Amino acid sequence: MKILVTGATGYIGKRLIPLLINDGHTIVCPVRDKKRAQNYYKNQKNIELIEADFLNGHTLEAIPKDIDIAYYLIHSMSNSAKEFHTLEEKCAFNFKRFAEKSKLQQVIYLSGITNDTNLSKHLLSRKNVENALASDTYALTTFKAGIIVGSGSSSFEIIRDIVEKLPAMIAPKWLNTKTQPLAIRDVLSFLHKALNKKELFNTSHDIFGPEVLTYKEMLLQFAEVRKLKRYILTVPVMTPKLSSYWLYFVTSTSYKLASSLVNSMGVEVIGKKSNINNLLNVKPMSYKEAVKLAFKKIEQNSIISSWKDSYVSSGKLKNFVHEFINVPEYGCFKDFKKRKVKNKKRALDRIWAIGGETGWYYGTFLWKIRGFIDQLFGGAGLRRGRRHPTELNAGDALDFWRVIYADKEKGKLLLYAEMILPGEAWLEFKIEDGHIYQTATFRPHGLAGRLYWYSVMPFHWFVFNGMIQNINK
């Protein structure tokens, strides 16, 4: 069949598409930035990339009309509370208008469990999207999941940060909220097996793991898997704002996402039982099993997707990474270094491993200080790390940078700074003609930007000089 997958570069989409390809289907992926998506799917057969934005209905005309099935995986967790529900409903409306003019038979939508009478704004928005997607011309199948547990998922990484960083914690009362965590592998099984399943046409099902756990129990069970002893005291005095700051400073999440998560974590996410497990022959694994499986993937360096690679984790770059490929020349300050390359392969390997646990090859304590300052001002800091220790694709998060261009064969890596700055910054590595070139470019915004550049120049001289020396060892 020809299958449309929205959210193709998102956490779920990047994991679902390989399953569909293995079945022999042709996959159509509408993406806002084709250049970014090509890095993920350049070696995949039977994939058609279409540049389209569901916020702009006229761009959907480029999508083929002979689609059989569609997956709707569009969410807007990072947008401000004033906007996200409007954006989500607009996307759903534009999708529906396109879908009703096509040959679509079934739309499969992944939503959130919405059984509590006091829903958060995000869960209420998910419910509204479900209503908006319902149609008389195609069948809608809705799966409603709670906390998704898997390597790279926002909930998994946040819990991991808390457990591994804090031996004891005074935590907000929402840690006593009950939920039913579900492994990412089981989520994918439900989505995959529902394909063209007529028994599921125009139905909605909650999907959830076999246990009802509080967030506190999830933290403690996670600690058991990691063989760590942890102590948690919950207190009622933490307001949602204080809780958001607590999550922001302890974990790698952005403040906007922390705020959204806190608002949702006060709502019980308990699913309604149905026959869906038997119908699709899915037996969800326990929470501990899901955590162990996630760490197996981490140990094997086989994390397919991470929430940090979404613009949710920054907000500074919106959609089109390729707009920042052309580094400006005029009105900019530059720090340029050039060395005769000693061993091209070794230098490229070191460049492609930069950041994350590897570090930046020189002045590590200065990078950490800069990351801490960035975090104090609401930036990402160095907490995001990187998805894979040696692989980089355009769009990947890399500490407080975003990968704009990565082509190892051409010997070029370009990073754009997502730290809080009075200007814009790029860092480029290039190997050609027997030399390694390292260029830091800063385009200042006003007087503050110029003062900033001159104030950090002494540190740049040491850090950038040491960095290229160690890369070229």
Side-chain angles (χ1 to χ4, degrees), residues 242-292:
L242 278 175
S243 296
S244 300
Y245 280 119
W246 181 79
L247 264 189
Y248 169 67
F249 280 107
V250 172
T251 73
S252 57
T253 184
S254 65
Y255 178 75
K256 282 185 179 179
L257 184 55
S259 180
S260 299
L261 289 170
V262 166
N263 289 331
S264 297
M265 285 173 171
V267 179
E268 284 202 346
V269 183
I270 307 298
K272 289 182 179 177
K273 292 183 179 180
S274 69
N275 67 337
I276 190 64
N277 291 4
N278 292 330
L279 192 60
L280 296 183
N281 193 27
V282 178
K283 186 179 180 182
M285 65 182 72
S286 70
Y287 173 68
K288 279 188 176 180
E289 287 175 313
V291 172
K292 288 175 183 176

Side-chain angles (χ1 to χ4, degrees), residues 12 38 40 42 126 136 143 224 311 336 353 359 392 443:
I12 302 291
Q38 281 170 342
Y40 297 122
K42 61 185 176 184
R126 301 285 189 268
D136 293 328
F143 290 117
E224 285 179 37
Y311 301 115
F336 176 74
L392 290 174
R443 179 164 61 186

Side-chain angles (χ1 to χ4, degrees), residues 9 16 69 95 121 125 148 150 203 209 235 244 253 261 296 307 322 349 352 357 375 381 386 394 401 409 461 463:
T9 58
L16 177 63
I69 310 286
F95 172 88
K121 290 180 179 179
S125 180
I148 297 176
T203 63
V235 294
S244 300
T253 184
L261 289 170
K296 281 184 182 178
W307 74 275
H322 66 264
D349 287 343
W352 251 252
E357 293 184 7
Q375 191 176 338
R386 47 183 294 159
W401 301 88
E409 290 181 5
W461 190 89
V463 169

Side-chain angles (χ1 to χ4, degrees), residues 22 43 53 66 107 168 187 206 208 216 254 260 262-263 292 314 321 340 342 352 394 407 411 419 437 441 445 461:
N22 287 341
N43 296 321
D53 183 353
D66 58 341
V107 173
V187 174
D206 293 348
F208 45 86
K216 181 177 179 178
S254 65
S260 299
V262 166
N263 289 331
K292 288 175 183 176
S314 165
V321 166
K340 188 173 181 179
K342 294 178 180 178
W352 251 252
D407 192 322
M419 64 192 86
Y437 302 88
T441 302
H445 290 171
W461 190 89

Side-chain angles (χ1 to χ4, degrees), residues 426-453:
W426 291 258
L427 181 59
E428 181 183 66
F429 300 95
K430 186 167 59 176
I431 296 180
E432 63 181 14
D433 302 326
H435 290 83
I436 177 171
Y437 302 88
Q438 175 186 288
T439 309
T441 302
F442 180 68
R443 179 164 61 186
H445 290 171
L447 179 61
R450 286 161 174 78
L451 291 174
Y452 170 81
W453 175 260

